Amino acid sequence: MKVLLKIWRQDDRDAAGKLVDYPLDDVDPDMSFLDMLDMLNEQLVRRGERVIEFDNDCREGICGTCGMVINGRPHGPLTATTTCQLHMRTFNDGDTIVIEPFRASSFPLIRDLKVDRSALDRIIQSGAFISTHIGTAPEANSILIAKDAADAAFDAATCIGCGACVAVCKNASAALFTGAKVTHLSNLPQGKIEAQRRVVDMVATMDKEGFGSCTNTEACEAICPQEISTDYIARMNWEYNAAKVRQTGKSS
Amino acid sequence: MTLDAKIPEGPVEQKWSRYQATCKLVNAANRKKLDVIIVGTGLAGGGAAAALGELGYNVKAFCFHDSPRRAHSTAAQGGVNAAKNYQNDGDNIYRMFYDTVKGGDFRSREANVYRMAELSVSLIDTCVAQGVPFAREYGGVLGNRSFGGVQVERTFYAQGQTGQQLLLGTYSALSRQIKAGRVTMYNRHEMLDLVIVDGQAKGIIARDLITGEIQRYAAHAVVLATGGYSKIFYLSTLALGSNATAIWKAHKRGAYIANPSLTQIHPTCLPQSGERQSKLTLMSESLRNDGRIWVPLKAGDERSPNAIPDDERDYYLERRYPAFGNLTPRDIASRAAKERIDAGHGVGPLKNAVYLDFRDALKEYGRDGIAGRYGNLFDMYRKITGLDAYSEPMRIAPAAHFSMGGLWVDYELMTSVNGLYALGECNFADHGANRLGANSLLQACVDGYFIIPTTIGNYLADQRTKNLPSTDAPEFQQAADAAEAAIRKLLNVNGGRPVDEYHRALGAILWDRCGISRSPEGLQEAIIQITELREDFHRNVRVTGGSHEPNNELEKALRINDYLELAELMCRDALSRDESCGAHFRTDHQTEDGEAVRNDDDFAYVAAWEYTPNGTPTLHKEHLTFQDVKLTARSYK
Ligand SMILES: Cc1cc2nc3c(=O)[nH]c(=O)nc-3n(C[C@H](O)[C@H](O)[C@H](O)COP(=O)(O)OP(=O)(O)OC[C@H]3O[C@@H](n4cnc5c(N)ncnc54)[C@H](O)[C@@H]3O)c2cc1C
Ligand code: SF4
Ligand code: FES
C-alpha cells in the first residue's frame, strides 16, 4: 500500500518546527508502524538525509518508550494500543498520516518526535516507593493480601509511564499517571504506612513540574494503552484530601 | 593467567554463608568516600544501585534509556523462580539447584547455582515488601505455576508482566536512593569504553545521547549490568536497543568473555511474517502448561488446523518426550520444532511455524478459565497477528532469546579485570549451556540486590579515597580520544548502505550457522562471511547526521560495529566446543534419534576468551567439577 506521511521535524527545542511530507510506497499491511518508520529512515539515509528521531525499544507495548501523536491521537487510532503495537493494516491504501511528538510543556522537545519525559521520573522519585531495606524483609506469606487487593494493585501498577495521558490532556495533567502509582501502593498493606506523605509529595511534584490540574475530561483513560482507570485519579484525590485533613485539620 | 573462580571452601550449602562471614567489610563511615559506577539499570544494575546506595556508597548509575524503568527487564512475561515450596510439592533449595545444574546441561558452576537457589527465597520476600503485586490465591497467600524443565510449581508471577512488575519494584527502590542523594542517575548516557588505571577498572567513557558530548567518569570500582546481546541475531525477542558495546569494550580492555556462543533459543515466539520485521515477539512459555504443540503428520498439509483430525496430527513433543511432553526445556523444544519445520511440516504462510493448540484446554476450563490465565497473551497475539487463538491454534516458532554467554566472572562476580564486576545477563551466568525458564530474572535480581553488595566490599575495603584517579589522567584522555575517533571514522565513511542492512545480514549469517544447530563447516564459513561483512561495513556504511546531537543512526552504527566483532568470537567459540550441550547443538555430535551427545571428558569447562589485538583470541578453560550433582545424560523422555 501507499501512504503520505506528514512528519513533524524540529532540530531542537529552540528551532522552528514544521510538518514535512514523505510519500511512502510498498508498505506491507502486516508491518508495524515503527517498522514502517524504519523503512522511511533507511530511504532517508540512502538519500543522505538526517533520519527522523523517535524513541522506542521493546516494540512489544510494555516498556513505555515509544509514543507519538498519530492523526491527532497519542499512540494512534486504536484503543489500548501503543504506537509500536500498531500495524499498517489499520490504515487504508492512500491514507495521509500526520505524525507529531507528544506535546506538553513538562515534556520539552528534544528533536523531531523525541521528547523528554523525565518529569515523570521526578514524580516517582518524590515518594513513589515503600521504604523497605533490601534483603531484610519478612517472610512473604507472613502478610496475607486478599486476591482482590493484589489484583487491584496490579491493575494500577501496569502503567507503562508512556506519558500519552499527559499528551492527550487539554491541561497536560499527569493525574492518571500519578493516580495509578498512588493507588498501586496504597492498595497494599506494605504501602499504606507512608500513603499520606507519599501522595502529598507526589502531588506537589506534579505541580512543581508544571503539569496542569485534572478537570475530569477523562480523555486520558480513553487514550491509555494500559486502560488505566480514572477511578485512580479519584482515589488519589481522596488520599490527598485525607492526608491534608490529617495535616491541617481541614480539606483542601 | 590462570582462571581462579574463587569458590569458597566447604560443602555447597555453606559456601555463601562462609564467604559472607569471612569477606572484608567497609565500615559505614568509609562507604560514603567510595564511588561506584554502575552501567545499566535493569533488574541487575538497578538493584545493585539501590542496594549500594542504601549501604551508603556514592553511586553513579548510567543507562541509555530515557528512564531506568524502561530497561529490557520490563519485557519479561512468565515469572521468577524461588524455592519457597509454597505448594508443598516437595520443592526445596537443593531440588532447585539440581534442576538448574541439570537443565544447564552440566556447564554451570555448582557453587553459583546453589547460591542462586538459596537466595531465591529472600528475593520473593524483598519484592513483596517493595510492593510487587504477585498473583495471590483467594486465601491471600502467593500463587505459583510451573515452567519448562521442572516438575514442581516454583514460579512466582504477576500475570504476564512479571518482569515489568519486578523492574518497577527495583525502579522504586532506586528512585528512593536518588531522592536520598546516594545515587546520581545518568539517563540517556551510553558507555562507550572502560578506563583502566594501574590494572584496575577506574572509570568509563560515556556519550551523552542528547548533546553527543563524550564524557569521563571515575570511580573506585565499575559494575556492568548491561543485559544480553542476543539482538545480534537481528530478529530476536530482545528490545531493539539491547547491545554488546559495554561488554565488548571491556573485553578489549582485558575482561574475558565466556561461552559467547551459548544462546538460548525460545520455542514459543511469533513466527516471522515479513521481510522488514525488526523483532520477534515472545509468547510466554507458561502457555505450554495448557497448550499442546503439534504439526500436521503429512508434510505440506494445506488444510486449516481445525480441519485436521487428531490422528493426522503429530504431537511431536508428547511423542518424543512422554515424561515432560510440552514442558520439555527450551533447547529441546526449539530443536524439535526446527526438526519438524525443516522436514516440511511447518505451518503458516511462510511454513516456518508449529501449532500451539488450546482446543483441549478450552474444553476443560472453558473460555473464561483460559482467559483468566492467559487473556493478555491471547490479546497480544491478536494485536500482532490479527488472529484469534480462542478459535484456532496459535502459530509459534523458535527465536533467539537470551545470551547465556557474557563476561567471565568469578564467585564474587568480578571479571578478569580487577575492580570490574558484571551482573545479570551480561555475565556468563549461572545457567550453563541452557537456561531454565524464570531463572534469569532471578539471577539478575540476586546478583544486584544480594551478591554484589557483599562481594564489592571485599574489594573496596582495600581501596582508598586517593585511589580515585583524576579524569584528566592519560588513561582517560586516551580512551576519550579513541571514542571520538571511532565516531568520526564512522561518520566519514559516507558509503551507500544503511546500518540496519548490515545488522540484518549479520543476523542471517548467525541464525543459519550459529543458531539452533551448528556444524563445523557452517561455522567456518560464517567466520569468513562475517569478516567480509565487517570489511564492507567500514567501506560502505552510511551514517547521516552529526556527532554532537541526538543521532539514532550513529548509536546503531556504534553498536553494530561491536556486534560485527563479537559475532566472530561467537562462531569461534561454537567451533571450539566440539560436542553438543544444551543450546549448543552440533550436528556432528548427535544420536541416531537426534539427541545431543555431550562430551564431559573433554568439555566440562567454561570457555573464557581473552582478546588479542590483531590476532586470534586465546582460550582459557575453567574446569567444572561436579560434587553434588552427578554428571548424567540429560533425559526428559
Ligand atoms: C521477551 C522476554 C521475556 C522474558 N521473560 C522472562 C521470564 O519470564 N523470566 C525470566 O526469568 N527471564 C525472562 N527473560 C529474560 C530476562 O528478562 C533478562 O535476562 C533480564 O531481565 C536481564 O536483566 P539485566 O538487568 O541483566 O539487563 P537489562 O534489563 O537488559 O538491562 C540492561 C541495562 O543496561 C543499560 N545499558 C546497556 N548497555 C549500555 C551502555 N553501553 N551504556 C549505558 N547503559 C547501557 C540499559 O539501558 C539497561 O538499563 C525474558 C527476556 C525477554 C527478551
Ligand atoms: S497512565 Fe496510561 S497513558 Fe498515562 S503514562 Fe501510564 S500507561 Fe501511559
Ligand atoms: S517500544 Fe516499548 S512500548 Fe512501544
Side-chain angles (χ1 to χ4, degrees), chain A residues 159-165 176-177 224-226 228:
Chain A
C159 160
I160 57 175
C162 64
C165 48
L176 193 65
F177 170 84
C224 172
Q226 294 296 98
I228 300 287

Side-chain angles (χ1 to χ4, degrees), chain A residues 11 28 30-32 35 38-60 62-66 78-82 85 87 89 110-111 114-118 120-122 124-148 150-151 153-155 157-162 177 181 184-185 188 190 194 197 201 225-226, chain B residues 47 50-51 54 64-72 74-75 77 84 86 121-122 124-126 128-134 136-142 158-161 164-165 168 171-173 175-176 178-179 185 187-188 209-210 234 237-242 273-282 380 382-386 449-450 496-501 504 542-545 549-553 555-556:
Chain A
D11 273 345
D28 173 356
D30 279 334
M31 205 177 227
S32 80
D35 286 352
D38 288 346
M39 177 166 129
L40 172 65
N41 272 345
E42 265 189 55
Q43 295 182 4
L44 295 182
V45 170
R46 280 179 214 282
R47 300 207 293 257
E49 292 174 33
R50 165 169 96 59
V51 297
I52 293 146
E53 295 287 328
F54 62 95
D55 277 330
N56 72 98
D57 198 25
C58 73
R59 297 209 177 178
E60 290 195 10
I62 191 80
C63 71
T65 313
C66 68
L78 300 183
T79 54
T81 306
T82 54
Q85 292 290 83
H87 286 77
R89 56 178 167 267
I110 296 171
R111 174 173 271 190
K114 238 183 197 157
V115 298
D116 176 358
R117 289 167 291 190
S118 51
L120 298 181
D121 279 335
R122 291 189 288 276
I124 299 296
Q125 283 154 18
S126 69
F129 40 75
I130 294 170
S131 302
T132 172
H133 284 286
I134 291 163
T136 59
E139 174 9 83
N141 262 348
S142 65
I143 301 173
L144 298 179
I145 303 179
K147 186 173 185 320
D148 296 347
D151 287 351
F154 174 84
D155 285 344
T158 57
C159 160
I160 57 175
C162 64
F177 170 84
K181 191 43 68 182
H184 160 210
L185 294 173
L188 297 168
Q190 297 87 348
E194 293 167 287
R197 201 176 64 184
D201 289 347
Q226 294 296 98
Chain B
E54 199 170 73
F64 62 68
H65 289 96
D66 70 329
S67 161
R69 67 178 293 146
R70 313 215 195 276
H72 172 64
T74 197
Q77 300 168 355
K84 283 281 204 184
Y86 281 165
V121 176
S122 22
I124 301 303
D125 301 340
T126 290
V128 167
Q130 284 172 346
V132 173
F134 285 121
R136 299 260 167 185
E137 316 271 1
Y138 278 102
V141 295
L142 288 148
Q159 290 192 20
Q161 301 173 22
Q164 181 194 40
Q165 292 308 316
L168 290 178
Y171 165 68
S172 70
S175 297
R176 178 165 164 255
I178 294 172
K179 181 184 189 183
M185 187 67 222
N187 298 332
R188 292 197 196 265
L209 299 181
I210 303 300
Y234 190 67
T237 61
L238 275 83
L240 269 75
S242 304
S273 66
E275 280 289 299
R276 315 280 325 193
Q277 207 168 323
S278 57
K279 80 163 289 175
L280 296 173
T281 302
L282 174 84
M380 191 165 104
R382 184 179 37 72
K383 249 181 218 170
I384 296 169
T385 62
Y449 283 141
F450 303 141
R497 298 179 71 187
V499 177
D500 284 348
E501 229 178 84
R504 280 196 291 268
R542 178 151 205 176
V543 183
T544 54
E549 53 185 317
N551 190 343
N552 280 340
E553 282 299 299
E555 288 167 31
K556 283 197 286 192

